[in-house]
């Protein structure tokens, strides 16, 4: 049962990264690819109907983690106190920026909220990337739990690292660039005119920049947490995920050159899905890895809820996901056409 | 830890109080929007559609505030209340996860369709989307209230050998009778808030001579919905809620009522100031026997007072609890009178010409917010000193690993951020109301 629920939470997080990833990327690029108010409204209309639903994957994944692995939820959230509060404030600012910008017809008002939206999206991508880096690297869990973690210590992964060190910052930077690339391809698919041209060009540059950065992050991960790779190599089926990730990375370039933005977007989604899944498979069975003593680590098996609760939950979860997939397919299907820049309605 | 506890409590109290200013409007408003849209469809009157679109803009603004201020609450279970989460997560995590899976996905995807898809969906499709949105928001309310009901009156759980709570009966947990009544009480109150806001805007337009037809629509819908809902808040939902408190949290009831010395023919305090040190109510105006009657149906029944319980069972802030409860009941009574008079005038067809009544309606919108907030404070302060009634004390629930100074800092951060956002929100709300129902963009 613990494996099933680990996989469920991991899958929900991976879907979150793919879905909210593109609207984070759109946020990061917003001020660069769209210059006039009309262009910015087009960009926001491209994510308007979906961003809120995308964000719910984070909330729902958090809720499921709470239900299935309460000890992990309690330990990680209190240990990462300050970082999570920063995440909350950024999420609040990012969410209201989208809603607020259109309410006053004043260029300074709009410029302010556009900037808030961009900066919050970029910082969130970095912090979420760094959070993933913390899981991979490990945290100073002792027999009492996770003492409130410092934001930084000596910027070096060791027994008592802070939330930010060179490794987690590198992962954060990689996340920020990767999501920007994902967002650029999304805009290439969903928009027309100058916004599309700029997004198309930005996508090319960003994805080329990703090649050395991805190699660097992979090498750094081998150095910081070699166990991830020994885990991956010990399970034959994890090769499928590695192949999927590498294949879809190449497919992004192929379809982008062919000017097939929808195919490129699906490839970039598969790439992020594959990369997140591969990382979490390598991470399994750990939730929180102790840098002090492996005995203190929280794993799927030592933190799973009792049998009856997670069995009942499996039934409602499956039913709920069926409904949810229906909503998302319908929502994305009903907005499959490009954003019509002459007819921006909504509010 | 003793020092950190007060900061944990203040931060949660502040952020949940601020948060609930928004859903209490949107849940009720969702229902009213569905009503406007159905009337538009059945009467073929475009004015109803304009009214519905106006309230959809208000809904979107409030919904955005509700979403962003709601996320911190789920996080705080882990960040600030980690011992509570580790102890009760297997139980309360069920409904928090269900809220995400069943309510939030429905609400957020259908909100996108609702705001951006009116043309594409057509009138019937758009009405169906609005109805789904309303169902999503009410479901979300249900899951949260079941979670709260567990903390008020635990059901369906078992204490395991490992010393933590496990689900024993999913059905008992999800259908906790406390939760069912609390949900009915709370959702009626949410309709009251929405109805007062809708009437208030209608009265404002009517007094200014703006948008006459839409003003009349808002006044009619607001007053009728408000009258029905406010009666439901009192009876049967509020009455049943009170009886459950009397049965399962008798010490809370005594503190709410300011009843120190219990006994038969227990008196109902209309006003009076509790003096906890002297264990008496100062300057009271009381009606003998009425409290006994309200709870047990006969004047002679015995109601226990605070003196019948050891002090370590008492709620830890009796004064605030007493005033919250009396503010809720007092404002509820006044608001019922306001809606009663407005309904009478509406029935006689003179509401739109009765300017003093329109003034009263226009200015009354803050009070249902205050009454609802006071009601939640009554529920939450009344549960003290327990975080889960009878199972875990609030003092044992906070995160030990978090530096109290960090909590002071983040509380200040929330206060600053929310005050600024609140001001910006009010600016936009006022602008939307002034733009009126026919404005685009």
């Amino acid at each position: 049962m613990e494996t099933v629920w680990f996989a469920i939470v991991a899958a929900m997080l991976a879907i979150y990264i793919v879905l909210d990833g593109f609207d984070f990327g759109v946020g990061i690029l917003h001020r660069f690819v769209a210059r006039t108010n009309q262009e910015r409204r087009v960009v926001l209309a491209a994510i308007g109907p979906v961003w809120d639903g995308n964000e719910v994957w984070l909330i729902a994944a958090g809720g499921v983690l709470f239900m299935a692995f309460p000890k992990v939820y309690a330990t990680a959230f209190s240990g990462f106190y300050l970082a999570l509060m920063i995440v909350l404030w950024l999420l609040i600012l990012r969410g209201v920026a989208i809603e607020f910008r259109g309410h006053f017809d004043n260029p300074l008002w709009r410029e302010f909220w556009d900037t808030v939206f961009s900066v919050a999206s970029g910082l969130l991508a970095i912090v979420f990337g760094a959070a993933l880096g913390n899981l991979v690297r490990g945290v100073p869990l002792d027999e009492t739990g996770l003492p409130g973690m410092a934001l930084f210590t000596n910027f070096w992964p060791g027994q008592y690292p802070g939330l930010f060190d060179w490794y987690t910052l590198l992962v954060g930077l990689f996340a920020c660039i990767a999501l920007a690339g994902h967002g650029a391809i999304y805009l290439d698919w969903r928009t027309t005119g100058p916004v599309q041209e700029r997004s198309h060009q930005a996508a090319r540059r960003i994805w080329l920049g990703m090649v050395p950065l991805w190699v660097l992050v992979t090498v750094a991960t081998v150095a910081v947490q070699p166990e991830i790779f020994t885990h991956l190599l010990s399970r034959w089926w994890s090769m499928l995920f590695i192949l999927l990730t590498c294949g879809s990375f190449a497919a992004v370039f192929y379809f982008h050159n062919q000017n097939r933005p929808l195919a490129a977007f699906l490839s970039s989604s598969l790439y992020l899905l594959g990369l997140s899944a591969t990382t979490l498979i390598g991470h399994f069975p750990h939730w929180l890895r102790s840098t002090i003593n492996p005995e203190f680590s929280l794993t799927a098996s030592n933190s799973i809820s009792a049998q009856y609760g997670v069995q009942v939950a499996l039934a409602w979860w499956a039913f709920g996901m069926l409904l949810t997939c229906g909503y998302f397919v319908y929502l994305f299907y009903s907005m499959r056409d490009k954003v019509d820049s002459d007819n921006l309605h909504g509010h | 830890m003793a020092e950190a506890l007060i900061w944990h409590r203040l931060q949660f109290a502040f952020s949940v109080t601020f948060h609930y200013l928004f859903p209490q409007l949107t849940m009720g408003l969702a229902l009213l929007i569905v009503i406007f849209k159905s009337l538009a469809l059945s009467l073929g009157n475009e004015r109803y559609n304009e009214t519905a679109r106006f309230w959809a803009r208000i809904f979107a603004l409030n919904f955005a505030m509700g979403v962003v201020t709601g996320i911190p609450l789920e996080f705080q279970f882990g960040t600030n209340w980690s011992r509570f989460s580790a102890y009760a997560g297997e139980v309360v995590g069920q409904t928090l996860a269900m809220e995400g899976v069943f309510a939030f996905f429905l609400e957020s995807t259908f909100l996108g369709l609702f705001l951006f898809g009116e043309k594409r969906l057509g009138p019937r499709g758009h009405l169906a989307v609005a109805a789904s949105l309303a169902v999503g928001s009410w479901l979300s309310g249900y899951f949260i209230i079941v979670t709260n009901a567990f903390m008020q009156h635990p059901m369906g759980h078992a204490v395991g050998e490992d010393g933590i709570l496990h689900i024993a009966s999913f059905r008992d947990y999800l259908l906790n009778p406390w939760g069912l009544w609390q949900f009915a009480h709370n959702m009626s109150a949410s309709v009251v808030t929405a109805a007062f806001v809708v009437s208030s805007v209608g009265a404002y337009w009517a007094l200014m001579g703006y948008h006459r037809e839409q003003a009349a629509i808002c006044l009619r819908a607001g007053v009728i919905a408000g009258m029905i809902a406010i009666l439901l808040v009192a009876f049967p939902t509020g009455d049943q809620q009170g009886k459950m408190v009397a049965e399962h949290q008798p010490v809370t009831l005594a503190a709410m009522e300011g009843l120190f010395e219990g006994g038969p023919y227990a008196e109902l305090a209309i006003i009076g100031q509790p003096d906890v040190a002297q264990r008496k109510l100062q300057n009271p105006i009381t009606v003998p026997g009425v409290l006994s009657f309200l709870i047990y149906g006969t004047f002679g029944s015995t109601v226990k007072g605070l003196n019948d319980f050891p002090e370590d069972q008492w709620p830890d802030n009796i004064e605030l609890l007493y005033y919250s409860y009396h503010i809720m009941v007092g404002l509820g009574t006044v608001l019922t009178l306001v809606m009663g008079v407005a309904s009478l005038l509406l029935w006689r067809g003179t509401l739109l010409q009765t300017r003093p009544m329109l003034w009263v309606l226009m200015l009354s919108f803050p009070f249902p917010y205050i009454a609802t907030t006071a009601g939640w404070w009554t529920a939450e302060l009344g549960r003290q000193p327990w975080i889960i009634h009878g199972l875990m004390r609030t003092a044992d629930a906070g995160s030990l690993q978090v530096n109290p100074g960090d909590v002071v800092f983040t509380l200040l951060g929330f206060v600053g951020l929310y005050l600024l956002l609140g001001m910006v929100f009010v600016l936009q709300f006022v602008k939307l109301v002034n733009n009126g129902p026919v404005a685009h963009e």
Side-chain angles (χ1 to χ4, degrees), chain B residues 293-349:
Chain B
F293 176 77
L294 284 176
I295 297 169
Y296 299 109
T298 56
F299 292 97
S301 309
T302 299
V303 179
K304 285 188 174 173
L306 281 166
N307 291 339
D308 297 320
F309 300 92
E311 265 188 59
D312 73 336
Q313 305 281 324
W314 290 13
D316 53 16
N317 197 333
I318 289 175
E319 296 90 342
L320 192 56
L321 171 59
Y322 170 89
Y323 284 115
S324 298
Y325 172 67
H326 280 80
I327 287 170
M328 172 187 79
V329 173
L331 283 179
T333 311
V334 173
L335 294 173
T336 308
L337 289 175
V338 168
M339 275 300 167
V341 175
S343 304
L344 196 67
L345 292 171
L346 182 72
W347 180 60
R348 294 175 50 186

Side-chain angles (χ1 to χ4, degrees), chain B residues 354-369:
Chain B
T354 315
R355 291 183 70 86
M357 191 63 221
L358 292 178
W359 270 94
V360 170
L361 283 176
M362 179 177 77
L363 295 176
S364 61
F365 74 87
F367 299 100
Y369 285 100

Side-chain angles (χ1 to χ4, degrees), chain B residues 77-147:
Chain B
F77 285 119
T79 52
N80 298 72
W81 303 98
S82 65
R83 283 188 293 167
F84 164 77
S85 293
Y87 177 69
E90 295 196 14
V91 180
V92 296
Q94 291 273 348
T95 32
L96 293 177
M98 290 178 90
E99 185 187 29
V101 169
F102 289 103
F104 290 158
F105 278 127
L106 179 65
E107 269 184 292
S108 58
T109 50
F110 278 73
L111 181 69
L113 287 169
F114 179 68
L115 294 177
F116 294 88
E118 185 169 358
K119 268 187 202 157
R120 192 193 295 267
L121 292 160
R124 274 171 206 288
H126 199 237
L127 172 62
V129 166
S132 310
L133 186 57
V135 170
S137 70
W138 284 52
L139 264 180
S140 150
Y142 187 72
F143 289 123
I144 281 303
I145 281 185
V146 165
T147 313

Side-chain angles (χ1 to χ4, degrees), chain A residues 38-240:
Chain A
Q38 177 70 9
E39 286 172 7
R40 291 197 178 165
R41 287 184 61 204
V42 167
V43 167
L44 289 173
I47 58 166
V50 291
W51 76 269
D52 189 18
N54 293 346
E55 197 169 292
V56 170
W57 285 93
L58 176 69
I59 316 300
V64 171
L65 178 70
F66 190 15
M67 182 273 303
F69 302 99
K71 208 188 284 178
V72 174
Y73 191 83
T75 308
F77 275 49
S78 56
F80 293 162
Y81 187 85
L82 274 182
L84 286 176
M85 291 293 156
I86 295 170
V87 164
L88 285 172
W89 295 341
L90 290 171
L91 281 174
I92 290 172
L93 286 170
R94 182 176 183 273
V96 296
I98 301 173
E99 169 65 31
F100 282 6
R101 88 175 292 279
H103 280 274
F104 286 94
D105 188 19
N106 176 320
L108 297 186
W109 173 268
R110 287 194 298 255
E111 187 63 39
F112 174 74
W113 290 112
D114 286 346
T115 307
V116 168
F117 179 48
S118 278
V119 172
S121 299
L123 287 178
L124 275 168
I126 293 173
V127 177
F128 281 141
L132 194 63
N134 270 277
L135 292 185
V136 168
R137 180 205 58 202
V139 289
L141 266 178
D142 59 26
E143 63 272 39
T144 64
L146 181 58
M149 263 185 93
L151 285 180
F152 50 86
T153 51
N154 57 358
F155 288 101
W156 207 264
Q159 235 186 356
Y160 293 96
L163 285 161
F164 297 109
D165 58 26
W166 68 261
Y167 174 71
T168 60
L169 281 173
L170 180 67
V171 179
L173 179 71
F174 174 72
C176 184
I177 307 282
L179 296 189
H182 189 42
I185 289 189
Y186 177 76
L187 285 178
D188 190 10
W189 165 42
R190 295 280 290 127
T191 61
T192 52
V195 175
Q196 184 190 14
E197 279 163 33
R198 288 188 206 116
S199 305
H200 189 80
Q201 279 168 4
R204 173 154 198 86
R205 292 199 197 111
I206 296 170
W207 282 88
L208 280 175
M210 290 265 292
V211 178
L213 200 55
W214 188 24
V215 172
L216 187 63
V217 169
T218 311
V219 172
T221 306
V222 174
V224 169
Q225 194 52 272
E227 222 184 289
I228 295 258
F229 293 92
T230 48
H231 272 178
L232 283 173
L233 294 175
S234 67
R235 306 186 185 105
W236 67 267
W237 48 267
S238 55
M239 287 304 134
L240 297 179

Side-chain angles (χ1 to χ4, degrees), chain B residues 21-22 24-25 62 193 197 365-374 429:
Chain B
L21 296 175
F22 306 101
Q24 67 171 298
L25 178 69
N62 279 272
T193 298
V197 170
F365 74 87
F367 299 100
Y369 285 100
I370 297 172
T372 300
T373 303
F429 201 127

Side-chain angles (χ1 to χ4, degrees), chain A residues 215-293:
Chain A
V215 172
L216 187 63
V217 169
T218 311
V219 172
T221 306
V222 174
V224 169
Q225 194 52 272
E227 222 184 289
I228 295 258
F229 293 92
T230 48
H231 272 178
L232 283 173
L233 294 175
S234 67
R235 306 186 185 105
W236 67 267
W237 48 267
S238 55
M239 287 304 134
L240 297 179
F241 284 87
I242 296 176
L243 283 176
L244 170 82
T245 312
C246 296
S248 51
F249 190 73
V252 171
F253 286 90
Y254 175 76
F255 289 121
H256 187 261
N257 276 333
Q258 298 264 310
N259 244 331
R260 289 168 63 190
L262 174 57
F265 175 68
L266 292 176
S267 308
S268 116
S269 301
L270 275 180
Y271 170 67
L272 289 179
L273 196 71
L275 193 59
S276 320
T278 311
T279 311
L280 289 165
I281 290 167
H283 192 53
F284 181 80
H286 290 94
W287 274 121
L288 289 178
R289 198 187 276 278
S290 171
T291 51
I292 294 173
N293 185 337

